[in-house]
Amino acid sequence: ELITLLEDDKRLGAENELIVTLPYSGTKFGVPSNLHVIGTMNTADRSVEALDAALRRRFEFQELGPEPDLLDFTIAGDIDPAALLRTINRRLEVLRDRDHMIGHAYLLELKNEQTLEALKHVFKARIIPLLQEYFFGDWGKIGLVLGKSFVRRRDLSVQLAEFDHDERDALGERPTWELVDVSELTNLDFRRIYERVDDR
């Protein structure tokens, strides 16, 4: 009922004014016309999809996407966080969708500590776990986002149990992937995400 009361024409004094009786107190309740409700929601969270549809019918929406231009600083080792974020988000948009792009807030905190160690911490503690959620632990797809400096292939042939299965041999040779220890990464590894870097 509260969602309905928030509609402009259901406010107190409006054409279709609506007043409800609160269930516990029995008090009459309506929403005044001068009340402005501003809220935020994460569109990637589909668990609230039914509520999302109900809200979208009643409110104006303004999309607030990532703003890489706010990352107007350089991290030690000539790393451009704006270019880094743009590249990661372009890849996420292709591999997932627009709702799964990473916000600039993940890197904005580095403005106060523009070190390679701080960047490694952000990747290890926030960005990589988020990508794991996005791709359900599929390290191959995470590699398509971050590159071979971050994810490497493990050639791990497994002798599967004797069992009559059509794909037994192929499954035993299926490649697996593992994350490189973030502490081992260099500034060149991060720059390789968004540009071709000469190792010399």
Side-chain angles (χ1 to χ4, degrees), residues 150-162:
F150 288 78
V151 179
R152 64 179 161 226
R153 181 174 177 158
R154 284 194 306 173
D155 291 318
L156 186 64
S157 293
V158 177
Q159 184 63 40
L160 297 176
E162 288 296 329

Side-chain angles (χ1 to χ4, degrees), residues 138-157:
D138 183 342
W139 289 108
K141 286 186 179 162
I142 295 171
L144 291 173
V145 175
L146 300 178
K148 62 183 179 182
S149 294
F150 288 78
V151 179
R152 64 179 161 226
R153 181 174 177 158
R154 284 194 306 173
D155 291 318
L156 186 64
S157 293

Side-chain angles (χ1 to χ4, degrees), residues 61-76:
F61 274 73
Q62 179 178 355
E63 183 178 0
L64 298 174
E67 296 184 54
D69 291 339
L70 295 177
L71 305 172
D72 57 350
F73 55 92
T74 302
I75 296 169

